[in-house]
Amino acid sequence: MLSLPAEFEQFHWMVDMVQHVDLGLIVLDREYTIHVWNGFMVHHSGKQSHEVIGKTLFEVFPEIPKEWFVAKSRPVFNLGCRSFLIWRQRPYLFKCRNVRPITQQASFMYQNVTLNPMTSPKGTVDYLFLAVEDATAEAIAEGATANN
């Protein structure tokens, strides 16, 4: 069993990884209130954590079609399974600027997004987390052009 200092150190590492991983991580509750907004999302969206945490996804991003997103998230909350949004079906969920110098042919970041259930110790899914992956290089390689 880990000692308290080792457990604290591992917790600190986990928080550091969440903030610095090259992947957007967002935690939403069943009302779509934002609880976690990591460094990737700050960097790419231009929205600071204190600007978004405690607000609903649709307050911060009114351009996201609410009915569509709720339908995509329903199986995550109700069945505890993943849901996927891929750039070929919808170029992005969050219109973020493209900041990769090699792929400047795109005016925005293409994204693959996975909606993941977060199961509580009681077995309920009261939160989900979105993993937002930059798929711009893949989209450009496949001939997509982003001039929007």
Side-chain angles (χ1 to χ4, degrees), residues 5-25:
E7 288 172 345
F8 179 76
E9 186 173 43
Q10 284 189 345
F11 175 76
H12 176 76
W13 289 343
M14 294 297 289
V15 170
D16 196 43
M17 284 188 291
V18 164
Q19 286 304 319
H20 295 99
V21 68
D22 197 24
L23 189 71
L25 297 174

Side-chain angles (χ1 to χ4, degrees), residues 16 20 26 31 40 44 50 52 55 65 77 88 90 96 110 114 116 122 130 133 143 146:
D16 196 43
H20 295 99
I26 302 145
E31 283 75 44
F40 177 98
H44 291 285
H50 69 272
V52 301
K55 295 181 181 170
F77 283 122
R88 288 177 195 88
R90 182 182 174 90
C96 296
Y110 285 86
T114 306
N116 301 277
K122 295 179 182 179
L130 287 80
E133 174 191 8

Side-chain angles (χ1 to χ4, degrees), residues 70-126:
V70 168
K72 290 298 276 186
S73 64
R74 195 171 291 124
V76 182
F77 283 122
N78 296 340
L79 303 173
C81 62
R82 290 172 154 182
S83 186
F84 302 92
L85 313 173
I86 60 171
W87 71 265
R88 288 177 195 88
Q89 296 168 333
R90 182 182 174 90
Y92 56 83
L93 180 61
F94 304 100
K95 190 162 187 178
C96 296
R97 65 190 186 276
N98 177 25
V99 296
R100 295 190 183 228
I102 295 172
T103 56
Q104 285 302 323
Q105 302 114 316
S107 58
F108 60 80
M109 177 199 301
Y110 285 86
Q111 298 162 7
N112 289 328
V113 181
T114 306
L115 287 74
N116 301 277
M118 297 182 75
T119 307
S120 75
K122 295 179 182 179
T124 61
V125 178
D126 299 318

Side-chain angles (χ1 to χ4, degrees), residues 52-73:
V52 301
I53 291 176
K55 295 181 181 170
T56 70
L57 184 67
F58 310 110
E59 286 176 275
V60 179
F61 295 95
E63 65 275 11
I64 296 174
K66 184 174 183 176
E67 286 183 25
W68 168 81
F69 189 81
V70 168
K72 290 298 276 186
S73 64

